[in-house]
Amino acid sequence: VSEWIIQYKKGLRKFNNFERLLEQDPTGQIMQYVYVGDTGELDQEAGETMLREYPEVVQAVFLHVISSDQPSSFPPSGLPIPSPKLINGRPLVFFRTYVGAAAKATQLGLMEGDGLMRVVDEAEKALLARGVPKTSDKWIDLERDVEEAYKTLGMVLS
């Protein structure tokens, strides 16, 4: 309840929950983690703190870029995505679609190419099944990320 009133504590709570998870493997030898969140609700703060404090067990942080703005306010190429950055030698990556996240995970060696292709196929099927118009910003974002996925697969297969 206090988080509804004191919003700035959300990132700290997420980080504290991660530390409680780490207590289950005090040696840091058994588990490696990839934190996935979004750009709302202080997930970035939590993820950056994880990378600063525990780079030996946190392989990467992936953040879904969200916006409360109307899609009509986005540029024709879709919602801009911040550039990735390194914290303690570990990547903090931003993505708009699961395909974009999977492409970046493949580039980082966290996922295989066949897994990336399954994500591409399922994402396209999901939008078609939901009847999302091809003019939707969802398709614009997906098409941008599918292009990145195919470039990634070319790098992986080379």
Side-chain angles (χ1 to χ4, degrees), residues 9-108:
K9 288 189 175 190
K10 284 185 177 183
L12 178 61
R13 179 190 50 85
K14 292 172 184 187
F15 176 72
N16 289 339
N17 286 341
F18 176 70
E19 284 191 310
R20 288 180 34 211
L21 179 66
L22 287 178
E23 290 171 4
Q24 297 176 31
D25 177 23
T27 65
Q29 301 299 309
I30 299 171
M31 299 295 293
Q32 297 288 302
Y33 300 91
V34 173
Y35 178 71
V36 180
D38 60 43
T39 55
E41 307 236 335
L42 300 174
D43 289 352
Q44 184 169 348
E45 175 187 316
E48 287 183 6
T49 304
M50 290 173 197
L51 292 173
R52 276 194 303 278
E53 299 295 324
Y54 298 102
E56 66 280 359
V57 295
V58 180
Q59 297 297 302
V61 170
F62 285 77
L63 295 174
H64 180 215
V65 177
I66 60 173
S67 175
S68 58
D69 295 339
Q70 290 296 321
S72 60
S73 69
F74 301 162
S77 60
L79 182 65
I81 304 199
S83 297
K85 59 184 177 178
L86 292 176
I87 297 174
N88 274 341
R90 298 293 189 183
L92 172 69
V93 177
F94 298 90
F95 66 94
R96 186 73 176 132
T97 71
Y98 291 123
V99 171
K104 288 173 176 35
T106 303
Q107 293 164 8
L108 293 168

Side-chain angles (χ1 to χ4, degrees), residues 112-127:
E112 299 292 328
D114 61 335
L116 172 56
M117 279 311 303
R118 284 195 304 274
V119 173
V120 169
D121 291 341
E122 291 301 318
E124 290 174 336
K125 286 179 191 174
L127 287 186

